[in-house]
Amino acid sequence: MSLRPHRLVAAPVTLLALTLGACGDGAAGSDAGIADAAPPDACAPALTLANLRVVENPANVLSYFVEWSTSTPATTELQVDCGPDFQLSFTGDGETDEHRVFVMGLLEGATCQLTATSAAACAASETTSIEVADLPTYVPGFHVETGGGPIESGWTILNLNGLQANAPFLVVIVDEQGRVRWYHRRDTDHPSGSTDVRVLPEGVLIAGSPQVAAALVDWTGAIVWEADIDAHHELLPIGSDQYLYLLTHFECPDGYSSDSVIKWDQATKTQLWEWRICDHYTPPVFKNDWAHVNTIELFPGGDAMLLSPRDQDNLMKVDMTTGDLEWVLGQNGDFTLAAGDHFLRQHAPEILPSGNILLFDNGLAGVRESSRAIEIAYDATAKTAAVVWEYEPTPTLFTPIWGDVDRLANGNTLVTFGSNDPAVRSRLIEVEPSGTESWTLIFDLGWGVYRSERIAVPEGAHAQ
Amino acid sequence: MRRRSSSWRPTRTVRRRRGVGRWLLPLVAAAACGEGPAAEPDAGAQPDAPARTAPEIRSLYVALDDHASSLLDLTHGSRSRVLPQPVAATFRVFAADAETATDALEVTLVDADGAPPPGQQATLRNGIWEVGTEVGPGSSWRVRVRDADGDEVIGPHELALPSHQEAISGIWKLRSYGTDQAIASAWTATWTSSGTWLEDRPTAEGGPIGGDFDLADGELTLRRTWGEEDTNPDTIELTTRTVYYLDDTYFDTGPYARTGTGTGLAGTWTRSRQVAAAGAAARAISETLELDAEAFTDPERPEITWAGSWQETRVETETGGSDVTTTRSGRYRLVSAQDYNASLGNFLHRETTQLDGAPLETPLTDFEVQVVRLDRLLLSPRVR
C-alpha cells in the first residue's frame, strides 16, 4: 500500500458563528460574534461562556492556542473535530474562569470545529472553526509504504538534514501515514548535521550540532533552556537534570584533536566530570578527529558507558568510576570476530535487554558500500563476539555517514538510512525480526536524517 | 467518532483576566492561569471600576528572510543575528487584551529609541499579528502592542542585529596546523568593538602584535601598530574590500569576494588588496581563484567536504612599476581543524602542482587559505 501525505489548499483561519448555549444571557463579548442562546429550564446559577479565541501558534501552523472564559469558575470541555482523521476532547477537572488549551498535531489544510462547553449545571458552549494553513514550503513531504505486517504504534521524530545550501535546521514528527504532525525550526543558520533528537517529559531535546546551542523546546516551540556547550552527536540525559555529551578536545599530548565525554549539570550549567579518549587509547594512525565518537550509551546500572568511535570502527566500554577502558570490540579490539561480522563507520549502538548490542553498520566507501543493522552477541570474559541478527535491505542502500537503529517494543527494529547523496532518498524502515519490512518512510530527494525515534503519540494530539 | 480524551488540571483558579502567562505542558493544558511574565497593571485599580490594563504579548517569533530563513524565538529571551545586509523580517505576534478585540489592537515595531521603522506593515492572519519590515545590521527591535484605550506594552525581549564592528568583536581561540594536521600553535586574538585588535602569538619580532581596525560598509582597514609610539599612517598594512558571504562559506585570509552565486566552495573568488609595510612602496595585488568541485569526501560536515582543482591568477602591481602576473594551479581539499568552538579552523589544503604553466618537480602544499563557516563572525581576525 502506498500513501501520500495530502496537502490541501492554504486558507486562513476563519472564525465562524459562536454558539452560546444553555443559560447564558448572550451578552458576552467575542471577537467573532455570538449566536443563539437557549438556556435550559433548570439553569442556576447563570453561566455565560465567552471570548473564545483561537490563535495559530506563531511557531507552528499545525498547532493552536485556544482560550475562553466563563462568567464564574466552572469546569469546561473543548472538543476538536477535524473530520474522521482527528477528533478529540479535553476535559478540565477543576474550576476556573479562564480556560486555555494548546492543541497540536493538526493536519495541514484541515478544517476543524472547536467547541468549548461548560460541564456546570448550566451548560454553555461556544463553537468556532479553523482552517489549518499549509505547512511552510521548507518542510518536505514523505511517502509511506507498508508491508502488511505488524507496525509499532506511535509517531516518529527525526531531524532533517537538508542537502541543499542554506537548508533550515528542522525537527519533525510524522505519523504512521508519513504526514507531518509537528515541526520545529531551530533558531540558527547552521545545518542540522549530526543532531540527536529525543522526547523528554518536558519537551524535545535537540543537540549534537556543535555550532548550535543544545536546547530543550516545549511542544509550542518555545525554548525551555539553551546551552552553548559545543556538544556533538550526543546529549544523553542520565537523570537529575544531568547529561553526558561529546566534546571535541584539543589539548591532548599527541597534538591531535579527539573526543571527551563530559558529564554536565544543566541546572547549574557546569561540567561535573570529563573523560578523554586520548588518555586511554592510541590509534594506529593519528589524524585530527581520529576517534570521531558519535554515541554514548550507558550500560545497565549506569556505572559504565559504551562509546562508538566511528573512525576506529570499534566500540569501547569505559568504567565511569575508574575511567578505565575495559574493552574494545571491533577493529584492533579485544574480541574475536568473524571477518563478516566486523562493522565499519558505525552509528548509534544500543544495549538491548539481552545484553546484545544493536548498531547501524554504515559501511565504508571502497571497502563495503552497503549499510545494514546488526545485533552483536558477545562474551566479555571469553572475548568472543558474533553477529546474531542482521538486516540489509534489497536492493542494498549505502548511507556512509548517518544512521540509527532502535529495537521497538513489539520486537521490530526501526532502521534509519540517512542519505547524504542528493540523488538517493533517505528511508526509515521498520523491519520485523524475520527481515520483512512492515513500514517504510521515504524522504523527498535532497533530505537526509541523522537519527529517528518512534514515540508515543503525544497526549492531546490525534491518535489514529 | 471521538477517539481520545484527555483531562487537565488547572494550576490554580484565577478570577481576574489578568496575569495569564505560560501555556502549560504537556501538549494540552487548560486553565493555565498565573505564573506568566505579564505584569499586573491593575494592581491599584478602583474596586468598583473596571481595571484598565495593557495588552499582553503571549508568544512572539520573528522570521528573517536571511540565507537560512531563520526563525527566532523572542517569547522567552532576546535574540541576536549577524546580518551582512538588510533583510526582510516578519514578526509573528500572539497578542491579547481584555477589552480590545484582537483585530483592533495596534501592533508595531519600535527600535531602541522607541521609533518605528519606515514602511512596516501589520496584518492579522489566523489570529496572530504579522508585522513585516526590513531590518539591518546595527539595529535592535521590539514589538509594541497598544489597545483601544491607549494602554500599551513593549515586549521585554529584543531582536538585536549587531553592526559589522560589533560582530567582529570577541575573543577568538585560534590555532595553526602543520601539514601533518597536528596542532602547531595556539593563540588568542582579541578584537574589540572600539576597533582594536591584539594577538598574543609569538612573531618574528617577538611578543604580541596588535593595532586598530575599521570596518564599515564592507571596507576593512587594518592597521598594525609597531609599538605604543607608532602613529605613522604608513604602517597601515592591509586595506581590503570585503564582500561578506554570498553563500554558506567564505574565505577569510585576505577576504575573497565571491562572484556569482553557487553553493559550497566551487566557483570564482576574487580579492584585491593593497599592502604597505613601513618604509616600503605600496603594492596592489589582485587575485582570482577558481575552484572546481569534483567530489564530496565527508558530507557529514558539508563545510569540509569539497575537493577539486584550483587555479589562481595573481597580478601584482608595484607602485610606479609594471604588473607581474603569476599563475598557479593544483588540487585542493578541505581539512577540518575541528575547531567547533569558534567556528574557525577548516582549511583549504591546497597543493600547487603547476607554476606559470610549468609542472613543479615537488608539489607544494600549504594551508594558507582558511575557510570559515558563517557564524556570528563576519570576518576572521586572521586577515594577514
Side-chain angles (χ1 to χ4, degrees), chain B residues 14-246:
Chain B
V14 177
R15 301 184 187 281
R16 291 184 309 168
R17 300 206 61 211
R18 288 293 155 193
V20 182
R22 299 171 61 88
W23 295 91
L24 288 187
L25 297 177
L27 313 184
V28 179
C33 303
E35 74 172 317
E40 295 280 0
D42 57 349
Q46 296 299 315
D48 296 332
R52 278 184 54 177
T53 55
E56 289 179 76
I57 297 173
R58 296 192 180 156
S59 187
L60 171 59
Y61 290 79
V62 56
L64 293 180
D65 189 18
D66 59 0
H67 76 292
S69 299
S70 301
L71 182 69
L72 294 87
D73 178 0
L74 297 182
T75 310
H76 299 99
S78 294
R79 294 279 154 181
S80 179
R81 178 68 83 242
V82 170
L83 296 175
Q85 63 269 322
V87 298
T90 304
F91 289 72
R92 309 188 78 210
V93 189
F94 173 13
D97 184 72
E99 295 85 22
T100 302
T102 303
D103 59 3
L105 294 173
E106 177 187 307
V107 183
T108 57
L109 304 180
V110 292
D111 65 13
D113 298 323
Q120 66 174 324
Q121 293 187 327
T123 57
L124 185 64
R125 190 189 70 81
N126 288 6
I128 60 175
W129 278 98
E130 294 186 331
V131 186
T133 190
E134 186 178 82
V135 297
S139 63
S140 63
W141 301 100
R142 295 173 192 262
V143 167
R144 183 185 68 195
V145 181
R146 183 176 289 165
D147 65 17
D149 298 325
D151 296 321
E152 67 177 38
V153 63
I154 295 178
H157 307 303
E158 69 174 2
L159 171 66
L161 305 169
S163 67
H164 295 163
Q165 191 105 344
E166 292 167 336
I168 201 173
S169 301
I171 299 174
W172 312 103
K173 297 286 188 183
L174 301 176
R175 299 174 183 86
S176 68
Y177 294 79
T179 53
D180 60 353
Q181 299 187 37
I183 299 170
S185 62
W187 67 95
T188 300
T190 303
W191 288 59
T192 69
S193 58
S194 60
T196 64
W197 61 275
L198 180 70
E199 290 190 1
D200 65 358
R201 61 172 163 168
T203 63
E205 299 85 16
I209 58 175
D212 52 52
F213 70 95
D214 181 64
L215 178 62
D217 299 327
E219 188 84 19
L220 173 66
T221 301
L222 181 70
R223 181 174 180 269
R224 179 176 172 180
T225 305
W226 299 82
E228 294 183 1
E229 303 302 319
D230 177 18
T231 58
N232 183 352
D234 288 340
T235 58
I236 294 175
E237 67 173 27
L238 175 64
T239 301
T240 185
R241 176 76 184 177
T242 66
V243 177
Y244 302 123
Y245 64 88
L246 294 176

Side-chain angles (χ1 to χ4, degrees), chain A residues 13 56 67 87 93 97 100, chain B residues 1 8 14 20 29-30 58 126:
Chain A
V13 167
E56 179 187 298
E67 65 181 37
Q87 294 188 355
D93 56 3
D97 57 1
R100 291 185 171 188
Chain B
M1 182 179 71
W8 70 67
V14 177
V20 182
R58 296 192 180 156
N126 288 6

